[in-house]
Amino acid sequence: MEVRWDVFLIILGAALVTFIPRVVPLMILSRFELPEWGMRWLNYVPISVMAALIGQEFLLNDGKFSPIANNVELFAAIPTFWIAIKTRSLLGTVLAGIVSIMILRMFIQKIKWGCPKAMNWLFGTTP
């Protein structure tokens, strides 16, 4: 087996680039205690990042705001969030999301091919 040094150096560089930003803050922050306001502020970082990622996925389509009436993912997120809050189960949440997006897409496909007037009434468009 031949080792290509350029590929090896790229892999090594990628490992360093991902390792350094994770380890350096941990090493620095472990040496002193953060103030209470800093700890409270850090508690909001994960939910803020998750909200930004999810909001972008639900509200944007090709970099533009998508109309709410055509946004199947947003409608599928409603029962998914409800299941997540009620059960606190990752598996239940994932299954609820998969089932709700599947049902909504199947429902919309039936409407598109079965009744163009219903499609126009629901979404303001024709197939």
Side-chain angles (χ1 to χ4, degrees), residues 3-17:
V3 175
R4 292 184 49 198
W5 287 102
D6 54 344
V7 174
F8 178 72
L9 291 175
I10 289 172
I11 292 171
L12 188 64
L16 284 173
V17 165

Side-chain angles (χ1 to χ4, degrees), residues 54 58 71-83 96-97 100-101 104:
I54 290 174
F58 289 156
N71 200 342
V72 177
E73 289 84 7
L74 186 61
F75 289 124
I78 295 167
T80 305
F81 284 142
W82 186 78
I83 295 285
S100 54
I101 194 79
L104 285 171

Side-chain angles (χ1 to χ4, degrees), residues 10-27:
I10 289 172
I11 292 171
L12 188 64
L16 284 173
V17 165
T18 59
F19 181 73
I20 290 172
R22 295 173 189 204
V23 171
V24 171
L26 182 64
M27 290 172 45

Side-chain angles (χ1 to χ4, degrees), residues 58-126:
F58 289 156
L59 301 176
L60 294 178
N61 187 12
D62 293 330
K64 296 180 269 185
F65 282 108
S66 62
I68 290 180
N70 294 340
N71 200 342
V72 177
E73 289 84 7
L74 186 61
F75 289 124
I78 295 167
T80 305
F81 284 142
W82 186 78
I83 295 285
I85 290 170
K86 289 294 183 183
T87 65
R88 305 270 181 180
S89 166
L90 179 62
L91 180 62
T93 303
V94 170
L95 290 176
I98 290 170
V99 168
S100 54
I101 194 79
M102 188 174 64
I103 289 171
L104 285 171
R105 284 185 179 166
M106 187 173 54
F107 176 70
I108 288 175
Q109 185 178 15
K110 294 277 187 197
I111 289 175
K112 271 186 183 179
W113 298 110
C115 186
K117 288 183 181 180
M119 187 70 181
N120 191 19
W121 178 77
L122 278 174
F123 301 111
T125 60
T126 55

Side-chain angles (χ1 to χ4, degrees), residues 28-85:
I28 292 172
L29 292 176
S30 67
R31 300 204 188 274
F32 60 91
E33 190 172 329
L34 290 174
E36 180 62 31
W37 62 268
M39 291 302 291
R40 276 185 288 140
W41 181 80
L42 286 173
N43 283 334
Y44 293 107
V45 170
I47 192 71
S48 301
V49 170
M50 186 60 82
L53 292 172
I54 290 174
Q56 179 179 355
E57 186 66 31
F58 289 156
L59 301 176
L60 294 178
N61 187 12
D62 293 330
K64 296 180 269 185
F65 282 108
S66 62
I68 290 180
N70 294 340
N71 200 342
V72 177
E73 289 84 7
L74 186 61
F75 289 124
I78 295 167
T80 305
F81 284 142
W82 186 78
I83 295 285
I85 290 170

